[in-house]
Amino acid sequence: MSASTMLHHVLEVVLTAEAAHKESGIDVLIAFFKEGGTFMLINIFWLACAVAVVIERVITLMFRYNLNAPPFMEQVTKLVLTGNVDRAVKLCGAAPNAPLAKVIRSGLTRANRGESEVAKSIEEAILENTPHISTRIQWLWSLANIATLFGL
């Protein structure tokens, strides 16, 4: 595309946008998508895929794995400092889906075996729960790259 053709296209878009300013937003959007052609529909598909991944991650992280961490940790700390490790483990068991509770519970169940055993247990629990948290996040990078390539 030559510079003059590109300049002509930019000028046409600006004039269309100015005229469209007087039209309703939906009409402008429809015209924009019609002008985009088939590739616009393909990009809408990739957008829908990305939005679906984001919605799924938000629902999972905000509702399924949700745990109000500061009060939870405060209660666990109080129980451990007063020597009620068993009650702290039960408190962690009250939130069976929350990764934080799983990690803390893993450390507390081995509290009587020494510091290195507790650290090892916590590391294992973190490694076990991290994939559940970061699932499908990499898809967003791929979808963004695919949409960009189709747009070009």
Side-chain angles (χ1 to χ4, degrees):
M1 187 179 266
S2 69
S4 64
T5 306
M6 187 179 285
L7 182 62
H8 176 71
H9 182 67
V10 169
L11 183 60
E12 184 178 303
V13 169
V14 169
L15 292 175
T16 304
E18 185 178 329
H21 183 66
K22 296 174 186 171
E23 298 176 17
S24 73
I26 294 175
D27 293 335
V28 173
L29 193 59
I30 291 171
F32 181 72
F33 283 106
K34 284 182 181 177
E35 186 180 319
T38 306
F39 290 108
M40 186 64 79
L41 295 175
I42 293 170
N43 275 334
I44 290 173
F45 170 75
W46 295 121
L47 172 68
C49 291
V51 168
V53 169
V54 168
I55 290 172
E56 185 273 335
R57 287 287 80 202
V58 166
I59 289 171
T60 300
L61 296 175
M62 298 300 280
F63 298 108
R64 185 170 173 217
Y65 293 158
N66 190 18
L67 179 66
N68 196 353
F72 173 77
M73 289 305 297
E74 186 177 317
Q75 287 178 333
V76 169
T77 303
K78 284 180 185 177
L79 290 171
V80 169
L81 291 177
T82 59
N84 293 327
V85 177
D86 292 334
R87 288 190 66 198
V89 170
K90 287 180 184 178
L91 179 64
C92 292
N97 291 331
L100 176 63
K102 290 178 183 179
V103 170
I104 299 300
R105 183 176 186 187
S106 175
L108 290 174
T109 55
R110 291 177 180 83
N112 57 355
R113 296 185 187 173
E115 188 176 323
S116 65
E117 189 69 29
V118 171
K120 193 184 307 181
S121 173
I122 288 175
E123 286 178 25
E124 288 175 9
I126 288 172
L127 290 173
E128 192 176 298
N129 287 292
T130 299
H132 300 295
I133 294 170
S134 61
T135 302
R136 288 182 279 289
I137 297 298
Q138 300 85 358
W139 291 10
L140 294 176
W141 296 109
S142 298
L143 291 172
N145 286 330
I146 290 169
T148 302
L149 292 173
F150 270 105
L152 293 175

